Amino acid sequence: MFFRILRKDMKRKRTSNVIIMIFVIIATMFVSSSVHNIISVLSGIDGFFDKAGLDCDYIAIARINGEDDLSETLKNSECVTDFKEENMLICKNSDISGDNEEACKIGDNCFIMSIGNTKLNYFDKNNDRISDVREGEVYVHVNLMDKNDIKEGDILHVNMEGTQLDLKVAGALKDALLGTAFLQDYRFIISDADYQKLISSPETSEKRLCGAYYVYTDNMTDLKDQFTEIQGVMFDAPISTIRICYVMNMIVAAVFLIVSVGLILVSFAVLRFAIASTISEEIREIGVMKAVGVPDGAIRRIYIVKYFAIAIVGAVIGAVASVPLGSMLMNIISKEMVLDSGNSLLTTVFCALGVVGVILLFCYSCTRKVRKLSPIDAVRSGQTGERFGKKSILSLGKSRLGTSGFLAANDCLSAPKQFGLIIAIITLCLLPVMILSNAFNTLCSEKLVHLFGTTISDVYIVDNNRTVDIMGGDDDADVAMTKEIEDILAENDMPGDCHVEMFYKYPIRFKDKKSVLSFLQCKETDTSDYEYTEGVPPANENEIALAHNGAKIVGAEIGDTVEIEIDGEYRPFLVTAYFSSLNHLGEVGRFHQDLHTSHKNRSFTMAFQVNFSDDPSENEISERIDRIKDIFGCDTVFDAAGYSKDCTGVADIVKVVKYLILLITFVVTVLIIVLMERSFVSKEKSEIALMKAVGFRNNTIIAKHTLRFVIASVIAAVLAALLCLLLTGPVIDPIFSIMGSSAHVEYVVEPLEVFVVYPLAVIVVTAVSAFVSSLSTVSITASQTADID
């Protein structure tokens, strides 16, 4: 009898049971894949570094001009226990082009190195170590391949200082040191023979040669002090800073985990509702079983075994499905990393067992109600017939909602727990999409431009060729280059002013603490043109502003006097302001525009900024951007919003995550509405039959069932919209804080997208799902008013 009852129940409620199983599958999939991925990413960065051999304490990239000063310094340093050196050649955009002869967009600083000179381990797309590169072939970083739409087998043309090479792309490259989306500095690896051809030119070896140094030390403080005395260093940082550069990988993994937790909570909430609803619907059956002598324990076992069977089948399917889902998420999260799969099978098994255990706990908790039921409840259907208060605040006589509208609104108010659960679930699904939309729109807006140490301009030209020329020029090379750009634009009927932000690395000391800091300076702007979080802009040559993280490194506050080594002597500088910056993780400062700086201390340049003097419209600026691309032969020309997106380098990842979560929201919404509507129809069969008996038409009943879900989804959309305005800052600000920003970001909210498109899409999905599910009421007849199934 026990299994016969169970078998009939499984057949009778096939749709509800299938939907419950789907939610078990969803919960298991996301628990398993997300937990495994977050473990892989959090532990995988160190694992990736170990595999790559990046086990040093300090990193430096420096130019090699004549005598290799840095190499000699490291050899003679008492605080350096060992170091490794990789020689490389700096690339310009015009150095490398594809088959269509368009220059590759290779970023601000990219390098070519030979396979024989590698001291680290580099990996291909299959995570296999690259041990050999044949002559005439090249490995390209995976992010560069995506950025330039380069495929394996394509031909790249290299033209460096007159030496030409045609190289076939052998595959994608993964590089632990250079290669995160946050850094955007990449390497090419070629054969030793091809590298010798490039370096054979004296001009190439003189202008392009640089080295990557991997330093081991037992005294980090003294090592940092020594680097303050070394010139020609383009970049230097502790290995911990390189790990932080993978912050976006960790953040995206964390976003997936948070979304997964939300979906898991939704799944468990729906499962609990389904179990409780099933028992509530079957009060008559339970009462009859008690009347014929079936004990409480046996009745509870029927439900426990039923949901245990559903949980086991769903967990197994979900565990299997979590493998491709996990791989897909991992590709989004860490395509540039080599991560171990680890104990993925063990993690999956534990997560699946956890889901089964939670479902059984829900079932056991819900079936406690069985003990309170008596045979008389089979007659009363669980109702006592007593009610001492109004069922809802609505009055039929005063309502102007119409028949269907009043019934739908009255149902929502009469069963606040049930419809409150629906509202909470839809809100929970919609909220992450809205928050990510605000984050994406902010990343693609001019609101972040000031965080990169630049002013708002009409056009930003990222020209790697001219950048390299400035880096190798004299003290006034930046001013000369901006004047050249102004002349070119004027000749093409685009008059305007051009300026460029330069980075300089200078030794700085305060009290007994000595360090090296990167300083921004633009000789053609005023320090008052920039945004500061506290204090006043530097007004004299002997005043500076510090980003918050830069101030922490130096140990100075506003009003303190620090000493900076300028032209071989330490000079006093007054700290007058703090500002927020995403450059170098916020470890920067700003000089006054009149301070004389040396080309020997240059380390980096931002984009060339153009402000047109003839006040063109936005459409005209857009057309000029296209013209400038043709004139300068580069595609990296942007307006302020485009430049902000290019600098962050993660907007596209956020966009993919946003649309993936939106798709999941639609799927979950459909499943929830179908499950709950089927449950409502089964529970309200007698009421529906009675409505038909007194003359209600099918379309009125269907409209009632559809409208109450629409009401719930509208309330959920309003709640999600309000919460997204409140939570976007608290959720996203910590991410920008990790990247170096210390100020609250002014987020861009697109009202049409956030408050209309997404809510309307969810409302439509809800309405369609409810309408289709409610069509089952058509088969209920007036004669079923008192039926007992």
Side-chain angles (χ1 to χ4, degrees):
M1 180 186 74
F2 182 88
F3 288 102
R4 187 165 61 252
I5 293 172
L6 181 62
R7 186 173 62 253
K8 286 186 177 181
D9 183 83
M10 296 289 280
K11 288 183 178 179
R12 182 165 56 93
K13 296 192 172 182
R14 185 179 300 130
T15 302
S16 296
N17 291 334
V18 168
I19 293 175
I20 291 172
M21 185 180 295
I22 290 173
F23 273 100
V24 175
I25 293 171
I26 290 174
T28 307
M29 283 173 59
F30 279 95
V31 169
S32 301
S33 59
S34 297
V35 170
H36 173 247
N37 285 357
I38 196 71
I39 291 173
S40 296
V41 172
L42 291 178
S43 62
I45 294 175
D46 288 335
F48 183 27
F49 281 21
D50 289 340
K51 286 183 177 181
L54 191 61
D55 55 353
C56 58
D57 303 303
Y58 205 80
I59 302 292
I61 297 177
R63 291 177 175 273
I64 301 174
N65 295 316
E67 295 183 2
D68 190 356
D69 293 335
L70 181 54
S71 180
E72 291 300 319
T73 300
L74 296 176
K75 287 178 182 177
N76 299 322
S77 173
E78 294 181 358
C79 61
V80 174
T81 57
D82 193 14
F83 74 94
K84 296 183 289 190
E85 178 182 358
E86 290 178 332
N87 288 341
M88 308 178 295
L89 297 174
I90 300 175
C91 302
K92 299 191 296 186
N93 273 326
S94 59
D95 292 336
I96 302 176
S97 60
D99 286 333
N100 55 4
E101 296 186 356
E102 284 189 10
C104 292
K105 294 174 283 187
I106 61 175
D108 299 312
N109 285 306
C110 284
F111 310 93
I112 293 179
M113 62 185 299
S114 66
I115 186 65
N117 186 44
T118 58
K119 298 300 185 294
L120 302 183
N121 295 323
Y122 301 89
F123 304 89
D124 61 19
K125 64 180 181 181
N126 298 318
N127 296 336
D128 296 324
R129 178 176 172 271
I130 300 172
S131 58
D132 182 57
V133 180
R134 290 183 291 185
E135 188 173 356
E137 293 188 347
V138 60
Y139 277 89
V140 183
H141 194 276
V142 60
N143 288 345
L144 269 180
M145 292 186 71
D146 291 344
K147 190 175 182 179
N148 292 279
D149 196 25
I150 298 172
K151 298 179 178 60
E152 192 172 326
D154 288 353
I155 302 297
L156 295 182
H157 307 286
V158 179
N159 188 343
M160 186 175 289
E161 306 297 344
T163 303
Q164 297 184 3
L165 293 176
D166 293 333
L167 302 174
K168 180 181 178 181
V169 177
L173 165 69
K174 296 184 180 182
D175 179 0
L177 174 61
L178 299 176
T180 69
F182 192 67
L183 281 177
Q184 301 191 59
D185 294 338
Y186 306 116
R187 285 193 267 204
F188 299 85
I189 297 182
I190 61 177
S191 68
D192 294 342
D194 289 328
Y195 185 80
Q196 289 301 320
K197 293 176 185 177
L198 291 177
I199 206 170
S200 60
S201 167
E203 193 172 359
T204 299
S205 59
E206 181 182 344
K207 291 184 177 180
R208 306 293 191 91
L209 191 60
C210 65
Y213 300 86
Y214 311 99
V215 185
Y216 300 82
T217 181
D218 53 9
N219 192 332
M220 182 68 74
T221 302
D222 287 350
L223 180 66
K224 288 182 177 179
D225 286 344
Q226 286 194 7
F227 267 91
T228 64
E229 309 295 336
I230 302 171
Q231 294 185 344
V233 176
M234 301 165 61
F235 171 80
D236 67 289
I239 192 66
S240 57
T241 301
I242 305 301
R243 286 192 176 90
I244 294 175
C245 292
Y246 285 89
V247 63
M248 289 312 303
N249 303 80
M250 293 185 283
I251 288 169
V252 174
V255 168
F256 274 122
L257 181 63
I258 292 169
V259 172
S260 299
V261 169
L263 290 173
I264 293 161
L265 294 176
V266 167
S267 299
F268 287 159
V270 171
L271 290 170
R272 191 183 186 288
F273 166 81
I275 295 169
S277 179
T278 299
I279 293 173
S280 178
E281 292 171 18
E282 297 179 356
I283 287 176
R284 289 182 174 181
E285 289 86 341
I286 294 170
V288 171
M289 283 190 285
K290 284 199 169 188
V292 298
V294 180
D296 290 346
I299 297 173
R300 295 181 73 179
R301 281 198 299 273
I302 293 175
Y303 294 100
I304 291 174
V305 170
K306 169 187 172 181
Y307 288 108
F308 177 72
I310 292 175
I312 287 293
V313 175
V316 170
I317 297 173
V320 173
S322 71
V323 176
L325 176 65
S327 298
M328 182 189 70
L329 297 182
M330 188 64 77
N331 288 335
I332 296 173
I333 293 169
S334 56
K335 65 179 180 180
E336 65 219 10
M337 300 170 64
V338 178
L339 299 180
D340 284 325
S341 58
N343 296 319
S344 58
L345 179 60
L346 191 61
T347 303
T348 301
V349 170
F350 275 121
C351 291
L353 291 176
V355 172
V356 172
V358 171
I359 292 172
L360 290 181
L361 286 175
F362 281 159
C363 187
Y364 181 81
S365 175
C366 293
T367 55
R368 285 184 302 180
K369 188 177 180 181
V370 170
R371 293 180 298 182
K372 301 178 182 180
L373 299 176
S374 63
I376 196 65
D377 288 311
V379 178
R380 294 179 174 176
S381 296
Q383 302 295 326
T384 63
E386 297 177 343
R387 188 171 75 235
F388 300 100
K390 293 175 65 176
K391 194 173 183 182
S392 79
I393 61 174
L394 294 181
S395 171
L396 180 61
K398 299 178 181 179
S399 173
R400 298 182 180 180
L401 297 175
T403 304
S404 299
F406 173 81
L407 291 173
N410 189 66
D411 281 355
C412 292
L413 294 172
S414 301
K417 287 186 178 180
Q418 290 181 348
F419 288 95
L421 178 63
I422 298 171
I423 292 170
I425 289 172
I426 296 176
T427 301
L428 194 59
C429 290
L430 192 54
L431 187 58
V433 178
M434 291 180 168
I435 291 176
L436 285 175
S437 177
N438 293 341
F440 173 76
N441 292 329
T442 303
L443 290 171
C444 299
S445 75
E446 64 182 32
K447 298 293 184 181
L448 295 185
V449 166
H450 73 279
L451 294 178
F452 296 100
T454 61
T455 56
I456 298 292
S457 296
D458 294 327
V459 172
Y460 297 77
I461 305 172
V462 182
D463 191 332
N464 187 255
N465 300 337
R466 286 179 166 80
T467 295
V468 172
D469 290 340
I470 289 178
M471 297 301 294
D474 58 21
D475 291 350
D476 297 320
D478 51 338
V479 176
M481 187 61 71
T482 55
K483 181 64 171 64
E484 177 185 314
I485 292 174
E486 289 176 359
D487 293 341
I488 293 173
L489 293 176
E491 291 172 3
N492 289 273
D493 299 323
M494 293 181 283
D497 298 322
C498 178
H499 64 272
V500 62
E501 297 284 348
M502 301 293 300
F503 277 95
Y504 298 86
K505 294 180 75 72
Y506 277 96
I508 180 172
R509 67 188 184 190
F510 178 66
K511 295 181 179 178
D512 296 330
K513 190 173 184 180
K514 190 176 181 181
S515 55
V516 173
L517 203 63
S518 293
F519 287 89
L520 281 157
Q521 185 191 47
C522 180
K523 297 173 183 176
E524 293 146 311
T525 59
D526 193 280
T527 50
S528 60
D529 296 335
Y530 302 87
E531 295 188 21
Y532 301 89
T533 57
E534 190 177 345
V536 295
N540 301 293
E541 292 183 30
N542 63 340
E543 295 179 352
I544 61 170
L546 293 176
H548 290 267
N549 285 359
K552 289 179 182 178
I553 290 176
V554 176
E557 298 179 352
I558 293 176
D560 288 335
T561 298
V562 300
E563 292 183 309
I564 302 175
E565 185 180 1
I566 304 291
D567 296 331
E569 63 174 333
Y570 277 94
R571 293 168 49 183
F573 285 82
L574 177 66
V575 181
T576 65
Y578 290 145
F579 63 96
S580 188
S581 176
L582 296 179
N583 293 312
H584 298 299
L585 300 176
E587 299 175 0
V588 296
R590 175 170 290 282
F591 282 141
H592 189 268
Q593 65 272 9
D594 294 335
L595 178 69
H596 178 267
T597 47
S598 172
H599 67 279
K600 296 179 181 179
N601 295 89
R602 284 181 188 147
S603 62
F604 186 65
T605 71
M606 300 297 286
F608 296 97
Q609 298 177 233
V610 178
N611 292 299
F612 296 116
S613 57
D614 55 348
D615 195 25
S617 64
E618 289 187 8
N619 290 335
E620 177 64 20
I621 291 175
S622 179
E623 293 176 2
R624 290 186 178 185
I625 287 175
D626 292 334
R627 290 172 59 194
I628 292 171
K629 289 180 180 179
D630 294 334
I631 294 169
F632 287 86
C634 64
D635 291 330
T636 48
V637 182
F638 311 99
D639 58 10
Y643 184 60
S644 174
K645 179 181 177 182
D646 182 69
C647 286
T648 56
V650 295
D652 291 334
I653 297 176
V654 175
K655 185 177 182 180
V656 170
V657 174
K658 178 183 71 172
Y659 284 126
L660 178 60
I661 295 173
L662 183 61
L663 177 61
I664 293 170
T665 298
F666 289 156
V667 173
V668 170
T669 301
V670 169
L671 292 173
I672 290 169
I673 299 305
V674 171
L675 173 64
M676 291 193 166
E677 175 58 17
R678 295 283 297 188
S679 176
F680 289 158
V681 170
S682 176
K683 182 179 179 181
E684 300 169 3
K685 185 178 292 185
S686 297
E687 297 175 16
I688 295 170
L690 181 61
M691 291 176 68
K692 289 191 175 183
V694 297
F696 282 92
R697 298 175 179 271
N698 283 325
N699 57 358
T700 302
I701 296 171
I702 292 171
K704 168 202 167 184
H705 281 248
T706 302
L707 281 174
R708 57 189 182 181
F709 283 102
V710 171
I711 292 171
S713 63
V714 169
I715 295 173
V718 173
L719 282 175
L722 293 175
L723 287 173
C724 93
L725 293 176
L726 296 174
L727 296 179
T728 297
V731 171
I732 306 298
D733 275 353
I735 298 175
F736 284 114
S737 178
I738 294 172
M739 297 165 67
S741 173
S742 55
H744 172 69
V745 175
E746 184 181 349
Y747 292 95
V748 176
V749 179
E750 295 289 346
L752 182 63
E753 179 183 8
V754 175
F755 301 139
V756 178
V757 175
Y758 294 143
L760 189 60
V762 171
I763 291 170
V764 169
V765 168
T766 301
V768 172
S769 303
F771 174 79
V772 173
S773 300
S774 64
L775 292 176
S776 60
T777 59
V778 174
S779 61
I780 299 174
T781 62
S783 61
Q784 293 177 279
T785 302
D787 277 0
I788 301 177
D789 293 333

